[in-house]
């Protein structure tokens, strides 16, 4: 340790390190975890999403995004933009209000919290007196109206949050002139909705939860109209001209009310229960949008018949005779309509509906017949099926990029062509330096191809491996067309579908060769598929072969899952990556490592039993090697038996906790006082927790031995053209590293191209290295004579890399979880080592070679190892001398799934999951940095005309 | 028969050469012999490597008496028995009074074939309340056999007594290496692992460090039972002191540290099988470039400080420091024993 922590003894190197390395978490990709509130500013054309953890995220044109985090980490309940301002107010569940501003700072806009405020009642008043339920930012931009649970409405000045007490609208003042028989039934009710009159800023509409609605005159501080609703109120909406408004109710009905000067207590015009006559669920929000042709759009959330469709998350759009109930895959958090916001425009003319559901964002084009969905350029639901693995490929050649996009565009025909309607702000970030692909494997057997070049993670193409296999789910069973009644007119929208038909389909390893377009994908049931990119639809038979990894081992019985059944005969594949070979590992255990060499046309795969090499040109298995230790029974049993026992033990421990809790409750049951019981329970929980903490957690200290379980588990596979036998001839080789610290090297003989189909590929074991510390081998790498890592297959052929130095002696770098070791080749002698675990107590989780360029000079770059440890730290270690350069804390060490999901890019960036649906992007490089940089200009405001910021409408350049 | 010849004290050369010289002088070129010498205490000690050969030459004043025996009819027990038994008695007397069973003299192998299983090292540089134990996993089939846990201990700080988290030995596996040495006990606090402090590290980190070092594990502990500590008087009264103490010669740790270093290097060696041949140890590559050379040097330096190899002049300094800190430590232990009672209850 002392050796490495010695402070910068070499000032030149220290300076260079500053030019090379820098740690930044730059942007969060994907869909916010647990969204809880939605806001929209028609003026800025920005959308805001709040989450249960107190984050607030603003989105505009692609690339325009901001993020803020409330210190309190409380749930964001409501978001309201201040009209015609770059400001917004958030309400948290601790009843605090926060004012956020977008301010320009050194050329780019930043989101900052300006003020916070909690409404306080007079001393002694109950907390409900000031519990805010409705917020109305007034168009004067000077005040906020805050409706509360007590029915009082407080007025606070902006931006100071000073309460203007003389302007408080008390429920007593409102109830004064309400008819007595009505008033008696409804005192003390909370304010459900506050709506400013669209034409007259001096009037606001106040809706109370029990049904009473009043129009309040701000100038004279009195009620001008009473609307005596009889149903529990959910929400209100003004018609554009202010002559009518609409209210929606708990019983699934909505009501129109006229507003005129002659009748101060009008009767409703119309009362409709759209999905009656049977009891319906509440309509929680409603829009009434006028159009030129006279037929309004009525858009409302909920209202489904309670008994048969009460479980649906729906929003209905009614336009004349057209009616569709959009059926969402998860709970609707909130929605808004984008319509003409020019005050001079006569009609609303809605163009799009934006719906924030719990797991995804759905935008519906209301202008195109059939109301198709719009493909969002950001906020992709990464987790529409759980992510099981990821693979990053940097610097994709343009040709492959275009072919993937073209394959993807054929899948997206059902989407609307509408330009993205939320287009506020201007993206001023430089164009991404290169085209990057992030591939995610999912539990349902799909691989998604994401454009990870820039700030917006955008889905390019989706590949499904399911067609190769026979699954229980009938492919014709389409929920959209069959099995639904005609009424209500439900239509499924959205892609979130976390339910996997068969967990064996899950994708575990992905390897894409960007030069040849070959893709290898391996899954949970030992399936390895090799695919080729085809621009046309095609129907063909997938070649099928089995690799028996147990070979000569006798008397074992696999107790895990069975292999997947394959479809016989030709299968139709859509344009894109089409499988042509399936290699099935036997036993069908999870594929734990995968490597593809597109130049030699070989694919290598490994499981907990061994590894194999397959020639996908001749479609022939070259060899298999069993790595299983004869006494390792656990590896054979398969994953299921262990999962079962874990589940069982978890269940038992939960049961134990529950039982003890119940008994404690019983004991205290007699005392009666609810709060006392609660307190006692809380205390009990605390005690239980403390007890758990004090319980002796102990760790066994034992050297690893050859008899440990899962030593044969193949962790890494690597192809290299290097000196394996003697220093005069180099040859293709395959390297494999296991969990037990063994490295196998096979010498390969690949026939020259002209005889490639005639002669078999041959393999012969040349070396076997046993690391005495027996830690799992997580990385193998060969360095050439200049100590540069060997290039990827075809990289040299495509002129993208210098050919490796085949003159000098090569070196082998073996990275185990505990140590980095450099050996000479072809005679293996140990040269250097770095004992990471012995020094620091951390273990290597992920390791990649990354190229770091200097931010000062263009002509300097170097290769280093980027390492993620089990403590969540990232370390950069130099090559070939294995010296620690720098260390950054990155992921919490408790965040095991975050650490497991991390992928590094070849240029010092990385991604890891911060929630099932979000990738955090980070950068270790000073040179390659992808982060949002954008400006939101205040559009000019004239007295009665809003000029929109048109710059946002430009199409994202990255798409082309 | 006797031979007398001279050697240059400043340049003794290598043991191999010396051995060759002996064979030459006695004209027994093809006979395997054992070489021994009498040291200043009159003990018969073996000469079988460079280190003890140099030691022997350096202690000669001025005459070095060498004994040569034919290997096949050598009386092994003659070698250093005196020293060995005395040393053993010291340790077992001090550490495990109840364990004091005199083992019959059935030592049959050569000293060079002995494999240490454990040792207390750096006695001279550590405070009396600490103990640095080395466990040699290499070559034994015995498991290390112990468990560690989180706990808390009381430290003396400038701000008074403070309760700080610590790592403790929680269990010894019967028959394991840790238990069989008798040098580690349940509730001993782990302070260092191979020279690296564990404070601020989590249980999992310390576990990983110990496992990573498991082939040559050096643990510094504060024994839960402080009564059996070796009480050292200051060195100035050395020669007139009790025999039990003087039997720990001041030079011992040096030799230990030196000889162990080579071993540490070798026991880390990985194994290679070439072309399905016989497994072999992977040799160390000859340093080829400047930078690598300097790096290995640094490594050596580092490892030697880790093993507590210090020039003897510094050792004296440490002794005086040790006795100064005594009072603090006594206070410390009082609190610790209270603390232990608490943890035992929760266990």
């Amino acid at each position: 340790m002392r050796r490495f922590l010695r402070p910068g003894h070499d000032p030149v190197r220290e300076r260079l390190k500053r030019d090379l390395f820098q740690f930044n978490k730059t942007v969060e990709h994907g869909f916010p975890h647990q969204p809880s509130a939605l806001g929209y500013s028609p003026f800025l054309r920005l959308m805001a999403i709040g989450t249960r953890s107190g984050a607030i995220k603003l989105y505009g044109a692609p690339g325009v995004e901001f993020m803020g985090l409330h210190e309190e980490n409380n749930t964001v309940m409501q978001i309201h933009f201040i009209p015609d301002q770059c400001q917004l107010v958030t309400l948290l569940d601790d009843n605090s209000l926060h004012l956020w501003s977008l301010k320009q700072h050194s050329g780019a806009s930043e989101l900052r919290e300006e003020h916070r405020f909690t409404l306080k009642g007079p001393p002694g008043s109950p907390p409900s007196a000031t519990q805010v339920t409705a917020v109305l930012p007034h168009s004067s931009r000077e005040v906020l109206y805050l409706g509360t649970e007590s029915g009082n409405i407080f007025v606070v000045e902006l931006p100071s949050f000073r309460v203007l007490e003389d302007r408080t609208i008390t429920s007593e003042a409102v109830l004064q002139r309400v008819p007595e028989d009505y008033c008696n039934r409804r005192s003390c009710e909370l304010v459900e909705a506050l709506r400013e009159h669209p034409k007259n800023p001096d009037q606001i509409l106040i809706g109370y939860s029990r049904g009473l609605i009043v129009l309040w005159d701000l100038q004279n501080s009195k009620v001008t109209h009473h609307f005596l609703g009889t149903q529990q109120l959910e929400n209100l909406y003004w018609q554009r001209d202010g002559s009518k408004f609409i209210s929606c109710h708990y019983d699934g009905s909505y009501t129109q009310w006229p507003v005129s000067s002659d009748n101060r207590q009008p009767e409703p015009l119309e009362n409709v229960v759209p999905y009656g006559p049977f009891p319906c669920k509440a309509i929680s929000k409603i829009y009434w949008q006028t159009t030129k042709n006279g037929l309004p759009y009525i858009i409302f959330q909920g209202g489904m018949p309670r008994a048969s469709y009460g479980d649906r998350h729906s929003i209905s759009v009614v336009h004349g005779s057209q009616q569709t109930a959009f059926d969402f895959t998860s709970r609707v958090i909130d929605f808004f309509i984008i319509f003409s916001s020019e005050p001079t425009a006569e009609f609303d003319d809605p163009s799009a509906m934006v719906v924030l559901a719990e797991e995804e964002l759905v935008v519906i084009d209301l202008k195109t017949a059939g109301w198709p969905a719009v493909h969002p350029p950001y906020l992709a639901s990464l987790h529409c099926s759980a992510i099981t693995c990821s693979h990053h490929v940097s610097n994709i050649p343009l040709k492959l990029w275009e072919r993937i996009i073209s394959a993807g565009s054929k899948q997206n025909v059902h989407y609307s062509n509408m330009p993205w309607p939320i287009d506020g702000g201007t993206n001023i970030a430089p164009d991404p330096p290169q085209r990057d692909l992030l591939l995610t494997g999912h539990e349902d057997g799909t691989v998604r191809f994401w454009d990870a070049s820039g700030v917006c993670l955008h889905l390019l193409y989706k590949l499904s491996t399911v067609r190769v296999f026979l699954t229980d789910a009938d492919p014709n069973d389409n929920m959209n067309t069959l099995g639904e009644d005609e009424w209500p007119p439900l239509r499924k929208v959205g892609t979130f579908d976390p339910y996997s038909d068969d967990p064996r389909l899950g994708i575990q390893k992905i390897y894409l060769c960007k030069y040849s377009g070959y893709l290898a994908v391996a899954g949970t049931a030992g399936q390895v598929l090799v695919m080729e990119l085809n621009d046309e639809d095609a129907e063909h038979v997938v070649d099928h072969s089995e690799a028996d990894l147990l070979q000569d081992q006798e008397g074992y019985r696999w107790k895990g899952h069975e292999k997947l059944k394959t479809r016989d005969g030709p299968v139709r594949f859509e344009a894109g990556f089409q499988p042509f070979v399936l290699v099935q590992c036997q036993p069908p255990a999870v594929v734990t490592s995968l490597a593809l060499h597109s130049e030699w046309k070989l694919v290598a795969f490994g499981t907990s039993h061994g590894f194999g090499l397959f020639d996908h040109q001749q479609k022939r298995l070259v060899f298999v090697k069993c790595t299983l230790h004869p006494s390792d029974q656990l590896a054979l049993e398969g994953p299921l038996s262990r999962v079962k026992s874990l589940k069982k033990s978890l269940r038992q421990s939960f049961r134990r906790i529950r039982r003890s809790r119940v008994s404690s409750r019983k004991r205290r049951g007699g005392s009666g006082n609810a709060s006392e019981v609660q307190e006692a329970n809380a205390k009990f929980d605390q005690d239980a927790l403390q007890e758990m903490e004090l319980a002796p957690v102990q760790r066994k200290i034992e050297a690893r031995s050859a008899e440990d379980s899962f030593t044969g588990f193949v962790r890494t596979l690597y192809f290299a053209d290097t000196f394996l036998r003697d220093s005069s001839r180099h040859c293709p080789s395959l390297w494999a590293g296991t969990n037990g610290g063994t490295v196998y090297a096979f010498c390969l003989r690949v026939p020259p191209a002209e005889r490639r189909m005639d002669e078999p590929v041959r393999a012969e074991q040349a070396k076997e290295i046993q690391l005495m510390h027996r830690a799992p081998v997580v990385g193998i790498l060969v360095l050439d004579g200049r100590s540069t890592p060997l290039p990827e297959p075809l990289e040299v052929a495509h002129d993208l890399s210098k050919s490796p130095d085949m003159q000098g002696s090569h070196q082998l770098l073996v990275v185990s979880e505990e140590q980095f070791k450099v050996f000479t080749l072809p005679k293996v002698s140990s040269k250097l080592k770095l004992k990471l675990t012995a020094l620091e107590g951390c273990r290597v989780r992920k390791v990649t070679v990354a190229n770091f360029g200097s931010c000062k000079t263009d002509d300097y770059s170097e290769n280093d190892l980027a390492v993620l440890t089990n403590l969540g730290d990232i370390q950069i270690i130099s090559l070939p001398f294995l010296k620690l350069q720098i260390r950054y804390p990155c992921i919490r060490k408790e965040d095991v799934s975050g650490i497991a999901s991390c992928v590094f890019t070849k240029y010092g960036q990385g991604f890891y999951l911060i929630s099932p649906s979000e990738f955090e992007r980070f950068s270790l490089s000073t040179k390659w940095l992808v982060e949002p940089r954008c400006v939101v200009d205040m559009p000019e405001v004239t007295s009665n005309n809003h000029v929109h910021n048109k710059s946002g409408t430009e199409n994202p350049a990255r798409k082309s | 028969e006797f031979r007398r010849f001279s050697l240059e004290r400043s340049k003794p050369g290598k043991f191999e050469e010396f051995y060759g010289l002996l064979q030459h002088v006695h004209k027994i070129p093809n006979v395997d012999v054992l070489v021994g010498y009498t040291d200043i205490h009159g003990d018969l000690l073996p000469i079988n490597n460079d280190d003890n050969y140099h030691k022997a030459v350096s202690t000669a004043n001025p005459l070095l008496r060498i004994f040569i025996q034919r290997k096949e009819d050598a009386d092994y027990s003659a070698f250093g028995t005196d020293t060995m038994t005395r040393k053993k008695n010291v340790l077992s007397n001090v550490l495990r009074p109840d364990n004091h069973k005199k083992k019959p003299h059935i030592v049959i192998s050569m000293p060079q074939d002995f494999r240490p299983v454990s040792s207390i090292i750096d006695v001279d540089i550590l405070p009396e309340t600490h103990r640095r134990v080395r466990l040699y996993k290499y070559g034994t089939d015995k498991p290390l056999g112990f468990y560690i846990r989180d706990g808390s201990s009381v430290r003396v700080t400038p701000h008074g007594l403070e309760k700080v988290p610590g790592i403790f030995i929680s269990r010894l596996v019967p028959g394991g290496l840790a238990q069989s040495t008798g040098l580690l006990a349940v509730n001993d606090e782990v302070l260092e692992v191979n020279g690296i402090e564990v404070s601020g590290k989590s249980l999992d980190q310390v576990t990983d460090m110990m496992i990573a070092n498991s082939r040559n594990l050096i643990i510094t502990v504060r024994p839960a039972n402080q009564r059996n500590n070796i009480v050292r008087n200051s060195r100035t009264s050395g020669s007139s002191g009790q025999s039990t103490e003087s039997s720990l010669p001041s030079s011992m740790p040096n030799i230990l540290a030196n000889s162990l270093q080579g071993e540490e290097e070798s026991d880390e060696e990985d194994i290679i099988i070439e072309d399905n041949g016989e497994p072999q140890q992977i040799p160390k590559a000859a340093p080829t470039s400047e930078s690598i050379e300097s790096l290995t040097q640094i490594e050596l330096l580092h490892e030697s400080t880790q093993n507590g190899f210090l020039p003897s002049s510094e050792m004296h300094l440490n002794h005086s420091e040790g006795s100064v800190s005594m009072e603090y430590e006594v206070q410390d232990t009082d609190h610790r024993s209270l603390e232990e009672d608490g943890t035992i209850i929760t266990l």
Side-chain angles (χ1 to χ4, degrees), chain A residues 647-709:
Chain A
K647 265 188 190 158
K648 197 173 158 195
S649 67
L650 271 178
R651 203 160 46 227
Q652 276 169 347
S653 57
F654 274 116
R655 220 172 262 162
R656 201 163 50 226
I657 290 172
R658 202 159 49 220
R659 204 180 301 137
S660 55
R661 200 171 288 177
V662 167
S663 63
S664 86
R665 238 174 234 152
K666 267 186 200 148
R667 245 182 290 134
R668 298 171 191 272
S671 60
N673 190 332
S675 72
E676 203 171 276
V677 170
Q678 220 163 34
E679 212 169 276
N681 273 336
K683 189 176 178 316
F684 173 79
D685 288 351
Q686 214 172 14
D687 287 353
L689 205 72
Q690 223 156 39
E691 206 169 289
M692 253 188 267
E693 276 166 5
L694 284 177
V697 180
Q698 51 177 9
R699 296 279 184 274
K700 189 178 184 181
I701 306 297
E702 207 42 75
R704 298 170 201 272
S705 90
E707 279 80 41
D708 286 348
S709 290

Side-chain angles (χ1 to χ4, degrees), chain A residues 698-699 767 770 821 830 843, chain B residues 170 204 208 271 274 285:
Chain A
Q698 51 177 9
R699 296 279 184 274
K767 290 186 196 308
Q770 176 61 56
K821 289 197 145 179
S830 69
R843 287 206 304 264
Chain B
S170 61
D204 288 330
D208 287 341
I271 287 173
E274 301 254 9

Side-chain angles (χ1 to χ4, degrees), chain A residues 337-353:
Chain A
I337 307 294
I338 297 176
F339 55 88
S340 169
S341 57
E342 312 270 326
T344 49
E346 208 175 326
F347 302 101
D348 291 321
D349 282 327
S351 56
M353 172 167 79

Side-chain angles (χ1 to χ4, degrees), chain A residues 467-689:
Chain A
R467 299 192 69 84
V468 181
F469 304 103
L470 276 173
T471 52
D472 299 339
D474 184 21
N476 295 324
D477 177 23
N478 195 329
M479 295 285 278
N480 278 346
T481 51
L482 294 176
E484 292 277 8
D485 299 330
E486 283 189 11
W487 189 261
L490 287 165
R491 191 174 113 199
K492 275 235 181 281
V493 281
T495 55
F496 178 70
D497 179 16
Y499 309 104
S500 169
D501 296 331
D502 190 334
R504 292 177 299 170
L505 288 168
I507 305 294
Q508 298 293 334
K509 293 285 163 193
I510 305 171
Y511 197 106
L512 172 69
C513 170
K514 61 185 177 184
Y515 303 109
S516 61
Y518 280 116
L519 172 72
V521 160
T524 306
Q527 73 271 35
V528 179
L529 286 162
V530 188
M531 313 193 196
E532 205 170 8
L533 188 53
N534 187 345
D535 299 322
E536 303 295 329
D537 288 15
E539 191 167 336
H540 56 81
V541 180
V542 177
D543 200 89
H544 187 178
S545 115
E546 292 220 340
D548 179 12
L549 295 173
L550 287 183
Q551 251 190 339
D552 14 316
Q553 307 273 353
E554 290 292 321
Y556 284 125
R557 202 163 65 84
W558 167 251
K559 296 181 196 153
H561 50 232
E562 287 177 23
K563 66 173 188 180
L564 284 158
K565 286 198 187 72
T566 49
R567 224 174 260 279
D568 295 327
V571 183
R572 180 142 202 95
F573 295 103
E574 55 179 21
F577 288 93
Q578 298 173 346
F580 62 94
V581 163
L582 165 68
V583 185
Q584 177 64 53
C585 298
Q586 280 296 4
V590 175
V591 177
T592 54
S593 59
L594 183 69
L596 179 75
H597 200 293
S598 42
E599 203 172 340
W600 304 335
K601 307 267 196 289
L602 297 172
V603 61
F605 46 88
T607 71
S608 48
H609 305 109
F611 59 97
L613 180 69
F614 190 83
D615 172 0
H616 65 74
Q617 176 98 2
Q618 291 186 22
K619 297 182 179 156
R620 190 184 138 264
L621 190 66
V622 179
F623 77 90
V624 293
K625 166 85 184 172
C626 180
T627 54
L628 198 69
H629 194 276
S631 64
D632 190 355
Q633 283 297 325
L634 267 181
L636 274 153
E637 283 178 3
L640 294 176
S641 53
R642 273 176 305 124
V643 171
K644 245 181 248 161
S645 64
L646 178 70
K647 265 188 190 158
K648 197 173 158 195
S649 67
L650 271 178
R651 203 160 46 227
Q652 276 169 347
S653 57
F654 274 116
R655 220 172 262 162
R656 201 163 50 226
I657 290 172
R658 202 159 49 220
R659 204 180 301 137
S660 55
R661 200 171 288 177
V662 167
S663 63
S664 86
R665 238 174 234 152
K666 267 186 200 148
R667 245 182 290 134
R668 298 171 191 272
S671 60
N673 190 332
S675 72
E676 203 171 276
V677 170
Q678 220 163 34
E679 212 169 276
N681 273 336
K683 189 176 178 316
F684 173 79
D685 288 351
Q686 214 172 14
D687 287 353
L689 205 72

Side-chain angles (χ1 to χ4, degrees), chain A residues 708-874:
Chain A
D708 286 348
S709 290
F710 296 105
T711 49
F713 189 114
V714 179
R715 292 289 293 263
T716 183
L717 289 163
Y718 177 67
F719 284 108
D721 186 1
T722 188
F723 302 91
L724 199 55
R725 284 259 166 74
D726 57 68
S727 47
S728 54
R729 275 177 309 135
H730 57 94
C731 66
S733 63
L734 172 67
W735 299 77
T738 71
N739 231 19
T742 313
V743 174
Y744 299 93
F746 278 75
C747 193
L748 308 179
R749 211 185 61 78
V750 183
E754 61 275 14
R755 296 198 301 277
R756 183 64 179 79
M757 282 308 281
D758 309 329
E759 293 176 19
V761 176
R762 292 189 195 283
E764 199 180 340
Q765 181 163 341
K767 290 186 196 308
E768 179 180 332
I769 301 171
Q770 176 61 56
L771 302 178
M772 286 321 280
H773 65 284
R774 295 187 186 278
V777 176
V778 293
I780 297 174
L781 186 70
V782 172
L783 307 175
D784 73 3
R786 290 184 293 262
S787 295
T788 310
L790 292 184
E792 280 176 66
L794 294 176
E795 202 171 3
V796 176
H798 283 71
D799 266 347
L800 286 154
S801 170
K802 273 197 286 186
S803 38
D805 180 358
M806 293 312 233
Q807 306 305 321
S809 52
H810 282 195
Q811 296 172 67
L812 170 72
L813 169 67
V814 177
V815 182
S816 78
E817 282 191 1
E818 294 183 353
Q819 297 187 10
F820 298 77
K821 289 197 145 179
V822 175
F823 299 97
T824 57
L825 283 178
K827 168 122 181 62
V828 176
S829 49
S830 69
K831 203 166 173 189
L832 268 183
K833 66 184 169 207
L834 169 60
K835 294 161 94 176
L836 185 74
T837 310
L839 291 168
E840 299 181 30
C842 58
R843 287 206 304 264
V844 177
R845 279 279 173 268
K846 306 269 167 174
V847 60
T848 319
V849 177
N851 187 273
F852 289 92
S854 163
C855 60
K856 292 273 169 62
T857 53
D858 275 341
D859 55 354
Y860 184 80
S861 75
E862 64 176 46
N863 290 307
D864 295 283
L865 292 174
V867 178
L868 176 75
T869 71
N870 65 331
L871 304 179
D873 286 349
I874 288 177

Side-chain angles (χ1 to χ4, degrees), chain B residues 38-58:
Chain B
T38 45
D39 76 341
I40 43 169
H41 304 289
D43 293 330
L44 180 62
L45 296 175
I47 299 182
N48 47 23
N49 59 36
D50 286 352
D51 289 315
N52 49 21
Y53 168 55
H54 292 168
K55 178 73 191 162
V57 172
S58 65

Side-chain angles (χ1 to χ4, degrees), chain A residues 240-285:
Chain A
R240 192 176 182 94
D241 59 5
S243 66
K244 276 185 247 174
F245 70 87
I246 193 162
S247 63
C248 57
H249 302 277
Y250 182 72
D251 64 345
S253 67
Y254 64 83
T255 310
Q256 280 193 65
W257 305 83
V259 181
S260 60
S261 48
D262 43 302
N263 188 349
R264 296 289 171 185
Q265 200 173 305
E267 288 297 308
L269 285 174
E270 190 193 15
N271 185 15
V272 183
V273 184
Y275 294 110
F278 298 112
C280 291
K281 296 208 54 161
I283 294 180
S284 47
K285 188 169 182 179

Side-chain angles (χ1 to χ4, degrees), chain A residues 360-516:
Chain A
E360 62 187 330
L361 183 82
V362 178
V363 178
I364 305 289
D365 174 2
L366 296 176
K367 288 211 143 155
T368 308
W371 298 331
V374 184
H375 193 51
Y378 44 65
L379 285 167
S381 287
L382 298 171
H383 62 320
C384 26
S385 169
I387 293 180
T388 43
C389 66
S390 349
H391 176 70
H392 186 275
V393 191
S394 301
N395 222 348
I396 304 286
L398 183 62
K399 185 78 193 137
L400 179 68
W401 189 257
E402 284 169 345
R403 291 175 74 190
I404 291 173
I405 288 180
S406 118
S409 64
K410 287 176 189 151
Q411 297 177 322
N412 291 340
V413 283
H414 56 284
Y415 281 113
S416 162
N417 295 321
M418 176 191 237
W420 183 242
I422 304 163
D423 53 9
T426 314
N427 180 7
I428 55 166
D431 277 345
Q434 54 189 26
R435 288 170 297 269
D436 286 357
L437 266 183
L438 180 65
L439 278 65
T440 52
H442 297 262
E443 203 182 19
D444 63 354
T446 59
V447 178
R448 276 157 228 255
F449 289 62
W450 305 91
D451 174 1
S453 327
V455 170
C456 294
L457 193 72
H458 181 76
L459 182 66
L460 296 177
Y461 164 73
K462 181 179 129 184
L463 163 75
S464 176
T465 61
V466 181
R467 299 192 69 84
V468 181
F469 304 103
L470 276 173
T471 52
D472 299 339
D474 184 21
N476 295 324
D477 177 23
N478 195 329
M479 295 285 278
N480 278 346
T481 51
L482 294 176
E484 292 277 8
D485 299 330
E486 283 189 11
W487 189 261
L490 287 165
R491 191 174 113 199
K492 275 235 181 281
V493 281
T495 55
F496 178 70
D497 179 16
Y499 309 104
S500 169
D501 296 331
D502 190 334
R504 292 177 299 170
L505 288 168
I507 305 294
Q508 298 293 334
K509 293 285 163 193
I510 305 171
Y511 197 106
L512 172 69
C513 170
K514 61 185 177 184
Y515 303 109
S516 61

